[in-house]
Structure formats: C-alpha cells, structure tokens
Amino acid sequence: MTHLDITARSLGDSSHDEPDIIIEGGILITMVDGEDPINPARVCVKKNRIVDVQVMDEAFSSPANAEVIDASGCIIMPGLINSHCHTPMTLFRGSADDLPLREWLYDKIFPMESEHLRPETVYWGSLLGCLEMIASGTTSLMDGYFFEDDTVQAVHRAGLRAHLAQGVIDFPAPGVPDPGENLIKATEFIEKWVGFSDLISPGMFCHSPATCSEKTLRGAMEISRGFSLPLQIHLSETSDEVDEIIKKTGQRPVHYLNKLDILDEGLVAAHAIHLTRDEIELLAERGVRIVHVPESNMKLSSGAAKIAEMVSLGMKVGLGTDGCASNNDLDLFQEMDTAAKLGKVSTGDPVNMEAGTVLKMATSWGGAVLGIEQEVGTIEKGKKADIIVIDLQSPHLVPLYNPFSSLVYSANGADVRDVIVDGQILLRDRIFQTLDPEEIMEKVRALTSTFGLNT
Ligand SMILES: [Zn+2]
C-alpha cells in the first residue's frame, strides 16, 4: 500500500466558515489513527481552529482576505509536542558535556544554576528555547524549571502552547532558597498563572523521588489534584537513583510512589528507564503518563527505556528533548530519529519503534501526555490550529516513498518552513513572526559571556 494514495473525501462543508488561513497543495499527514496521507490537501483555519480538511479541489475559490500558504512540494502535519524539557537550560548548552550523570548534575548543573539563574537569565534563555522550538516545528511543550514565572512570560511572548511547571526540590534552589517553602512558592505560581491564557497552563514539577521527600511528593500531588493539574517528575533515570530509593525506602521507585498514593493518571513521569516488568505493568494500570527522552538518556549513558513494552500495554508515551545541557538541542525531528534507532539497538529488533509509532509519540500521544489530546496532536476539523509545513525541496528528502519514514529518518528541524499555533503564524518561510532572533541571540550571548563557563 502506498502512503501517497489520494483519499477522496472532505471532512466538512466550508461554506459557512470563511477561513483566515488556507494551507494547500502539500501532502497532509493527519496523524489520525488509520488515516492515509491526503495528497494534495487543503487545510482551512478560522480564528484558532481547523474548520476544514479536504482533498485539494481546483474549483475552490479562496476568500479575498485569507492568507494562503502554498504547501506544494511540502508535508503538512500537526505541530510537534515536546513533552519534557527545561527550556531555559539553553543557557548551559555545551557547558557540561561527556560526564557521568551524578557528576554532571551535582558538580556542574546544580552549582551553575545556583550561580547564574535569575529572572532575567531565565527569561532570555526561555526565549532562545522558544526560537529553537519554533524553528524546528514544536508547537506545544511541557516544561519544568526554576523562576518559571519568567518562562511563562517568554512562552507567552513567543505564542507557543505549553504546560509550564515550577520546580520543586528539597534543597535550596534558585528563587526558592528555603526548601521548606518549595510547595508554597509552587502553589503561588499556579495561582498566579491559572486562567492567564488559553495556551498556557501552570503546574508543579517534583525533581525526583530521590531529591524530594515523602512529605513533598505527597503534598505536591495533593495540590496538583486540587487544581486538576498534572504533576511532573523524573522517574528511575539511573540505576544509582533506584538503588538510593531502595536503600531509603526498602522499595523500588514505582512501588514507593504507589505507597505514597501519587501513582495515577495525574502523574507525568519522564525517563522511566530502570523499571521491572512489574513496575511497568503498575504504571500502565494506573494510567501514569510516560515521556521518553532518548538523546539525553544516551548522552548521560543512563540507559534505554523499554518503550515498546509500554506501548504494547496500551500506554501513550510522549517524546521529550530534556534540557539543552544534556541533549544539546531542542530539535524533535532528531529526537524522533534517535528514539526509533535506540528502540532498535536496545532490543536487537529492527522492527521495534517503527516510524509511525515514533511520529505518534511526537504528536497525538504527546497531546495525551499534556492532557490536551482533544485539542491538538492531529489535523482534524474542530481541533486547534497547531500546524507545521515541512519543505521537501532538499536532497536528503528526495525521493519520497513513505512520508512517515522521511519525516523520522531523513528530515531535521531546519526543514520546517511554516509554523502555526492556535491559528497564529509563528514562522512563515522560515522567518519568525513573533520573535526577533537577532535580539534574543545577542542578549543570551551577552548574558552568558559573564558566566565564566568557557573552557
Ligand atoms: Zn528533565
């Protein structure tokens, strides 16, 4: 079966909805289960929603005021969803490489964060991350860090969709010198930003079961449940961390979190590498949302999560880049390529983690991880207009037999030509529409030049 079959159908009558934006002429990958690509397609957007998805009809006449995006020679697809990142860590990109995780975290990252993070650096580092994400086709992100107020401001200015969480840890942290106040500060953060924007939801992010106490973990989940918001956590990233939890509690991390009564669909767990079959089954049974972070896990030599096993149990796993100090970029196209290949090499099975599954992780399943799968992650009539256009006019994308394979194994973020979030164009012909890249890069260069991190 070819993926380029023309599917003769129209998902709606557009006569009552004069679109503001029309994207036409490209191969549409809707990411709706079971749907083949539509080629050539037309996607109509009115305000912030997709109002029509159809095979391109030559007889169609565009309303005079509509912005028409000619996607001939391109792929049209849902915007990518980065389900785990620490956006302002762009500030530390390339400053602490080729180190074991413990040394990387305790000797490099925590001291650098303590010395250099302040509202201004977090704001500009977040803007740099937003630039990079827009330029590589990310339209939604799930983030957790310190001084998260400033990340909210940056993401809002960029026009991205996001769940942004204030970091919680039982050490003195940037902006939260007294760990006894970590939950108070995080609650104030949520209260400040809840309802601020339709595109941004606030939340809490517990660093890990090893760095947060039982009381903190229980409290964070109780507060998150009170706001009907997810709670993020790093889970079983290294075998050392698992040993530490076993030593401290007598239980493996997943069983420990279960004992604390925080293991349910409200928990979003990143990494999830060192798990027994029993732990994976418990996570699946409780509906815990998992985020795969393959490049960071490879770079820090943390291990390979058993994603295929989780998927076989019906879990919808998201895909994340982690922060730029452990990746070192925010390009989800590269992350998809890596996720597929790590899935194969870690199991010895080349059939494992095929391109279609990996694309779901970065789109529709990512929407499920963020709890917004009814609104984003697929191109369907009625959904929010989060759409990207990938330019195929490059040697590494010729010929095109299977768009799924080309997107996962050949494309990279620089092939993204246009980006729309919530009906607003953020990137048009690779020109930023909401941010000034020169201003942001210059500001980050100036701020980081005072860090003294050059080797
Ligand atoms: Zn992380």
Side-chain angles (χ1 to χ4, degrees):
M1 183 189 73
T2 168
H3 286 286
L4 299 178
D5 288 344
I6 294 175
T7 308
R9 56 154 209 174
S10 172
L11 296 181
D13 176 2
S14 61
S15 59
H16 303 297
D17 295 302
E18 292 237 314
D20 308 315
I21 301 172
I22 298 163
I23 309 155
E24 61 181 25
I27 303 163
L28 173 65
I29 313 288
T30 65
M31 292 312 297
V32 174
D33 280 345
E35 283 194 7
D36 285 331
I38 300 171
N39 181 29
R42 176 180 287 117
V43 179
C44 298
V45 172
K46 172 116 184 128
K47 294 186 176 162
N48 64 347
R49 292 199 182 268
I50 296 164
V51 293
D52 201 10
V53 179
Q54 59 184 244
V55 176
M56 192 175 168
D57 175 0
E58 295 300 332
F60 182 90
S61 63
S62 304
N65 295 328
E67 168 126 23
V68 178
I69 297 176
D70 181 359
S72 307
C74 299
I75 288 174
I76 308 163
M77 64 177 291
L80 303 182
I81 299 175
N82 189 342
S83 296
H84 181 75
C85 59
H86 313 288
T87 311
M89 291 188 86
T90 52
L91 296 166
F92 305 124
R93 189 195 320 262
S95 66
D97 296 334
D98 311 320
L99 295 168
L101 189 138
R102 204 169 177 85
E103 194 179 324
W104 172 83
L105 186 63
Y106 287 92
D107 297 347
K108 293 283 185 179
I109 300 301
F110 284 159
M112 286 195 296
E113 288 180 335
S114 148
E115 192 172 348
H116 302 301
L117 294 185
R118 54 184 192 272
E120 186 189 26
T121 54
V122 167
Y123 177 70
W124 288 99
S126 297
L127 279 177
L128 181 64
C130 290
L131 268 184
E132 193 183 346
M133 283 191 264
I134 292 169
S136 53
T138 291
T139 53
S140 294
L141 60 138
M142 191 167 215
D143 183 276
Y145 209 53
F146 304 111
F147 293 114
E148 194 74 7
D149 293 300
D150 299 277
T151 300
V152 173
Q153 302 277 13
V155 169
H156 179 60
R157 180 170 159 188
L160 286 165
R161 192 182 301 284
H163 177 79
L164 304 173
Q166 168 67 26
V168 171
I169 191 165
D170 280 323
F171 302 142
V176 194
D178 176 5
E181 291 196 349
N182 54 16
L183 290 180
I184 297 168
K185 293 279 184 193
T187 305
E188 286 170 358
F189 169 80
I190 291 175
E191 286 169 343
K192 182 174 177 183
W193 297 110
V194 73
F196 161 71
S197 158
D198 286 346
L199 275 73
I200 294 172
S201 65
M204 282 189 197
F205 168 59
C206 281
H207 185 265
S208 79
T211 53
C212 293
S213 70
E214 188 173 322
K215 182 166 166 261
T216 300
L217 292 166
R218 280 185 198 271
M221 183 50 104
E222 192 182 325
I223 296 162
S224 299
R225 281 177 183 150
F227 285 100
S228 300
L229 290 167
L231 172 67
Q232 296 182 66
I233 196 164
H234 290 135
L235 176 65
S236 299
E237 183 176 0
T238 64
S239 49
D240 281 356
E241 177 197 331
V242 173
D243 292 343
E244 196 178 325
I245 300 286
I246 293 172
K247 203 172 157 194
K248 194 167 86 175
T249 70
Q251 290 178 300
R252 294 187 65 83
V254 172
H255 297 131
Y256 168 58
L257 296 183
N258 188 36
K259 189 192 85 179
L260 301 187
D261 188 31
I262 69 169
L263 213 59
D264 64 18
E265 64 282 348
L267 192 67
V268 177
H271 302 299
I273 298 171
H274 299 278
L275 302 176
T276 60
R277 175 72 186 182
D278 181 44
E279 286 179 292
I280 292 173
E281 284 174 356
L282 186 54
L283 290 169
E285 188 188 308
R286 295 300 171 80
V288 173
R289 305 177 227 173
I290 301 295
V291 186
H292 186 34
V293 193
E295 290 197 350
S296 173
N297 298 158
M298 290 169 72
K299 186 157 179 278
L300 289 163
S301 205
S302 305
K306 297 168 189 137
I307 302 302
E309 216 174 307
M310 297 180 196
V311 170
S312 74
L313 292 173
M315 298 173 84
K316 289 180 177 175
V317 178
L319 189 67
T321 58
D322 220 347
C324 276
S326 60
N327 184 307
N328 294 355
D329 62 66
L330 301 171
D331 183 346
L332 276 174
F333 280 94
Q334 288 187 33
E335 204 73 38
M336 286 195 285
D337 186 15
T338 305
K341 289 170 182 167
L342 178 61
K344 297 171 195 311
V345 75
S346 64
T347 58
D349 178 5
V351 178
N352 191 14
M353 297 292 279
E354 45 82 36
T357 299
V358 175
L359 267 169
K360 282 186 199 170
M361 291 168 66
T363 55
S364 52
W365 291 357
V369 168
L370 268 69
I372 51 174
E373 69 270 34
Q374 302 306 320
E375 299 280 27
V376 301
T378 56
I379 305 272
E380 291 178 87
K381 186 180 176 185
K383 281 211 166 178
K384 292 281 174 65
D386 289 11
I387 302 165
I388 60 174
V389 175
I390 318 302
D391 190 351
L392 298 172
Q393 307 311 305
S394 289
H396 62 279
L397 293 169
V398 177
L400 182 80
Y401 297 121
N402 178 331
F404 294 91
S405 286
S406 292
L407 289 167
V408 171
Y409 296 119
S410 307
N412 60 66
D415 298 314
V416 174
R417 194 192 72 181
D418 308 296
V419 175
I420 299 171
V421 176
D422 209 49
Q424 182 183 19
I425 300 176
L426 306 188
L427 189 76
R428 180 82 154 100
D429 291 327
R430 288 208 63 76
I431 297 170
F432 293 97
Q433 305 294 301
T434 53
L435 300 175
D436 178 347
E438 274 71 37
E439 178 201 17
I440 294 165
M441 289 189 286
E442 196 44 49
K443 189 77 184 179
V444 172
R445 280 190 200 105
L447 287 169
T448 55
S449 69
T450 66
F451 288 2
L453 297 175
N454 293 334
T455 51

